[in-house]
Amino acid sequence: MRSREYDLEFRERSTRIRDAGAGLLVLSALLWGWCAILLMTDYTVEGWQGRTNECAARLFAEDGTANEGVWKGDYCAAERDWPEALAVLGLSIPVSLVGTALFTTGHVSRRLSGHSQAMRELDRLADEREQREKGAGA
């Protein structure tokens, strides 16, 4: 395989790696958004005998409806519990780490490939210049 063909294939692979990393970063951002929705939005819960209860957001409720629990006849604490939100947040960490690593690897590989191509071009131009100078001097 010629070096130009190999370089183009290398750049395509680097682009695919970078795009996969960007996709994982988008997925991680969606997980963060889901966690934010779970923690910052008010919600309703169907309680005992079909009653509907309005519940305050988990993040902003200190002693409100979200923390009182079923023992007081309130089902808000059981509906959106902290472990669910923290599990979503915890899941986003490895996804974002892998996404960052892939994105960085793909981007740096592509940049290095472009740099080496530019260096080869500069070497070729320098060689042509030397040959012209030798031809003109003889």
Side-chain angles (χ1 to χ4, degrees):
M1 182 180 282
R2 301 187 67 144
S3 66
R4 178 169 166 68
E5 294 168 1
Y6 177 78
D7 193 44
L8 290 175
E9 184 180 318
F10 180 79
R11 286 185 190 189
E12 287 175 13
R13 272 184 290 157
S14 298
T15 301
R16 284 194 303 268
I17 290 171
R18 184 191 64 195
D19 292 346
L24 287 175
L25 288 173
V26 167
L27 176 63
S28 178
L30 291 174
L31 288 171
W32 274 80
W34 184 17
C35 182
I37 287 171
L38 287 174
L39 293 177
M40 295 183 186
T41 57
D42 295 340
Y43 57 101
T44 58
V45 175
E46 189 172 319
W48 189 65
Q49 295 180 347
R51 288 188 353 216
T52 301
N53 296 336
E54 291 289 325
C55 303
R58 290 294 291 172
L59 192 61
F60 304 122
E62 295 228 359
D63 292 328
T65 57
N67 294 319
E68 291 172 357
V70 179
W71 61 276
K72 279 186 143 183
D74 190 6
Y75 294 89
C76 292
E79 181 66 23
R80 282 195 187 170
D81 207 5
W82 283 104
E84 179 186 357
L86 293 178
V88 170
L89 192 61
L91 180 63
S92 73
I93 292 171
V95 171
S96 63
L97 288 176
V98 171
T100 300
L102 288 175
F103 185 83
T104 302
T105 301
H107 189 67
V108 168
S109 297
R110 192 164 164 78
R111 292 287 305 258
L112 284 175
S113 174
H115 175 73
S116 66
Q117 167 116 21
M119 294 303 293
R120 283 191 303 270
E121 185 67 23
L122 287 174
D123 288 343
R124 185 185 62 78
L125 291 173
D127 290 343
E128 287 177 2
R129 183 175 161 224
E130 285 177 13
Q131 287 178 359
R132 274 194 316 256
E133 288 174 355
K134 283 182 186 178

